[in-house]
Amino acid sequence: MTVAFPPDERVLLLKVSRGDKIAFRQLYDQMSPLLYSIALRLLKRREAAEEVVQDVFLTLWHAADQYDVQRGSVKTWLSTITRNRCIDRLRRPATTLDHDLDLEEIAGDERDDPLNQMLSTDHLALLTTCFGELDEQQRRCLSLAYFEGMTHQDVSAQLDVPLGSAKTWIRRGLNVLKKCMGVA
């Protein structure tokens, strides 16, 4: 029995930049669960998370040629775009739709959360090990920025430290995690 591995994201992205719709669908199938879980974690609403993921993939279709291999993996690039879109959405003034929240939708079923499912695999053990290699400032800054969805300015204010320090701790922490996890 042969095992089929999914195509490499970089190869798919190159094909997408040339207008290949099949490659776009494959990249969507590979990446959308992760991006949705990031958006859902930050926005707490399924509908809002779906809209952000759709927006990210629409951007990807039109700007796939802007990806720079030197700046990280496709997964990291798309995750960053998703996170930034969520932060932008959270910063927008509340609309009447934002007040009509479905409490069951917000609470959700933790077993259905794609992020929880992904983290229940081997990645959790590696991430936990790598997170342990961070110093306390890096760990706190990364937790606030990536798990709480805070901006650099928010992290700086929350920890009552200069903005430059927060940015440096985040950048250095990400570098430690990337090296430890074998990314880029």
Side-chain angles (χ1 to χ4, degrees):
M1 173 169 61
T2 46
V3 177
F5 292 101
D8 181 85
E9 292 111 4
R10 292 171 295 186
V11 172
L12 290 174
L13 191 60
L14 178 61
K15 290 179 179 181
V16 169
S17 71
R18 295 178 183 155
D20 186 329
K21 293 178 182 177
I22 294 171
F24 180 80
R25 181 62 190 183
Q26 289 176 315
L27 190 59
Y28 178 87
D29 290 343
Q30 284 184 22
M31 301 300 299
S32 62
L34 171 65
L35 302 183
Y36 175 75
S37 67
I38 292 168
L40 185 60
R41 178 72 60 189
L42 294 172
L43 299 174
K44 311 286 191 243
R45 293 183 49 218
R46 289 182 179 139
E47 180 181 295
E50 290 168 359
E51 288 175 8
V52 165
V53 171
Q54 179 182 4
D55 184 47
V56 168
F57 277 98
L58 182 63
T59 300
L60 172 69
W61 179 253
H62 294 291
D65 59 337
Q66 293 180 10
Y67 169 68
D68 180 7
V69 175
Q70 303 301 322
R71 301 200 69 189
S73 70
V74 174
K75 185 182 295 187
T76 301
W77 183 58
L78 291 175
S79 296
T80 301
I81 292 171
T82 302
R83 179 183 171 276
N84 290 341
R85 293 287 162 85
C86 290
I87 291 170
D88 290 344
R89 188 176 179 107
L90 290 169
R91 288 180 177 166
R92 281 194 314 217
T95 64
T96 55
L97 291 176
D98 291 333
H99 298 293
D100 298 331
L101 300 178
D102 179 353
L103 296 180
E104 286 183 27
E105 183 176 328
I106 293 172
D109 185 347
E110 287 296 315
R111 294 169 300 183
D112 292 337
D113 184 352
L115 183 60
N116 285 342
Q117 291 174 5
M118 184 187 80
L119 291 178
S120 67
T121 64
D122 296 336
H123 290 99
L124 180 59
L126 179 58
L127 181 61
T128 302
T129 300
C130 293
F131 221 71
E133 292 186 16
L134 300 174
D135 65 35
E136 182 60 28
Q137 293 94 347
Q138 293 168 342
R139 192 171 18 259
R140 289 177 63 204
C141 287
L142 285 174
S143 293
L144 292 171
Y146 289 93
F147 298 125
E148 300 297 325
M150 291 186 176
T151 64
H152 290 132
Q153 293 84 0
D154 295 337
V155 172
S156 170
Q158 175 75 23
L159 300 178
D160 195 29
V161 297
L163 177 60
S165 297
K167 286 182 176 182
T168 299
W169 292 333
I170 290 170
R171 185 179 60 253
R172 288 181 181 165
L174 287 174
N175 288 337
V176 170
L177 288 178
K178 283 168 56 175
K179 183 177 179 182
C180 178
M181 295 184 80
V183 178

